[in-house]
Amino acid sequence: MTIRVLLADDQALLRATFRILIDSCADMEVVGEATDGTEALELSRLHRPDLVLMDIRMPGTDGLAATSAICSAPDLTAVRVLILTTFEIDEYVAQALRAGASGFLGKDVTADVLLAGIRTVAAGESLLSATATRTLITRFLSSPAESAQSAAPEHLSALTAREREVMAWVAEGHSNEEIAGKLYVSPLTVRTHVHRAMTKLGARDRAQLVVMAYQSGLVRAVPPNGGE
């Protein structure tokens, strides 16, 4: 199957570069280009891409607002958003994850990493390294203004003890392989637990499952050395 990608970036040169790179792959194609968040939402409805490669900083409606609009739209539930940011850890990325983004990449990544990231997110996985997960969640929790709950504690009662345990490991940034080693099971078994937890909680993907784990209190971020 061909991965249909929508580009959302206000820089024409970057869009052209991404288009050439993506269109050079037999399993991908660029279906449209947006210069701001409003256009990204409009083109998402028009083309129904599998993935939106979204710049987080754009004039007018930015990538954060566009991500929230796309991920909350009932008619766009199959569209995934991969955030592009100038910095590896951006203060707005945590907000984008809350809004439903499936992960992020720095604009300075190699072509191979970008293409692998697109394939990963299009396949329904999240794109979060362990370090990125911990840093983003710490920032996420440091904002008292964010009071919305994606998964209240009682909702976790639908999970089995093992599913809650696996969800906690996922929230701490561990890969399926790492979790399998800790629990002495196969990575496939871990993947099954993760997907069952996602299904029961209505999580779009692994990234949202991470956010739910912290919002519900299943896992709490502990700042290193008691500081930030």
Side-chain angles (χ1 to χ4, degrees):
M1 293 181 62
T2 300
I3 301 171
R4 305 173 71 252
V5 180
L6 172 66
L7 303 177
D9 197 303
D10 62 313
Q11 298 183 51
L13 180 59
L14 275 178
R15 292 199 312 275
T17 301
F18 290 146
R19 175 181 279 277
I20 291 172
L21 178 63
I22 292 170
D23 284 344
S24 70
C25 299
D27 62 336
M28 299 182 195
E29 68 171 330
V30 173
V31 297
E33 297 182 25
T35 59
D36 61 25
T38 298
E39 193 174 12
L41 177 59
E42 293 173 350
L43 292 181
S44 290
R45 287 205 159 99
L46 176 64
H47 297 294
R48 304 300 171 94
D50 299 302
L51 179 144
V52 179
L53 197 57
M54 181 83 73
D55 182 16
I56 206 164
R57 290 190 179 93
M58 293 183 287
T61 303
D62 63 16
L64 176 61
T67 296
S68 179
I70 290 171
C71 294
S72 63
D75 57 329
L76 297 177
T77 55
V79 179
R80 300 185 183 281
V81 177
L82 176 57
I83 295 291
L84 285 174
T85 176
T86 304
F87 306 100
E88 182 180 1
I89 302 298
D90 190 298
E91 63 180 297
Y92 299 115
V93 174
Q95 297 176 47
L97 291 177
R98 278 198 300 274
S102 296
F104 75 99
L105 282 173
K107 286 188 175 181
D108 59 348
V109 297
T110 64
D112 287 344
V113 170
L114 174 64
L115 296 174
I118 291 174
R119 293 186 178 99
T120 296
V121 172
E125 299 294 337
S126 66
L127 198 63
L128 295 172
S129 67
T131 300
T133 298
R134 296 185 185 107
T135 303
L136 290 172
I137 292 300
T138 297
R139 291 190 180 200
F140 171 80
L141 292 177
S142 68
S143 176
E146 298 296 335
S147 57
Q149 296 290 304
S150 288
E154 59 268 20
H155 292 170
L156 298 186
S157 62
L159 304 183
T160 65
R162 180 46 63 92
E163 287 165 355
R164 289 164 69 104
E165 183 179 16
V166 169
M167 182 176 175
W169 283 118
V170 168
E172 291 183 2
H174 297 284
S175 67
N176 287 352
E177 289 71 20
E178 291 171 338
I179 298 172
K182 294 176 183 295
L183 300 181
Y184 301 102
V185 297
S186 72
L188 179 59
T189 296
V190 173
R191 182 183 175 86
T192 298
H193 287 312
V194 171
H195 279 271
R196 284 178 179 169
M198 286 167 51
T199 298
K200 290 180 180 180
L201 296 178
R204 289 171 62 97
D205 52 30
R206 194 182 183 102
Q208 191 173 20
L209 192 67
V210 170
V211 173
M212 287 180 170
Y214 283 90
Q215 285 188 318
S216 67
L218 177 64
V219 178
R220 298 185 184 281
V222 180
N225 302 322
E228 292 189 78

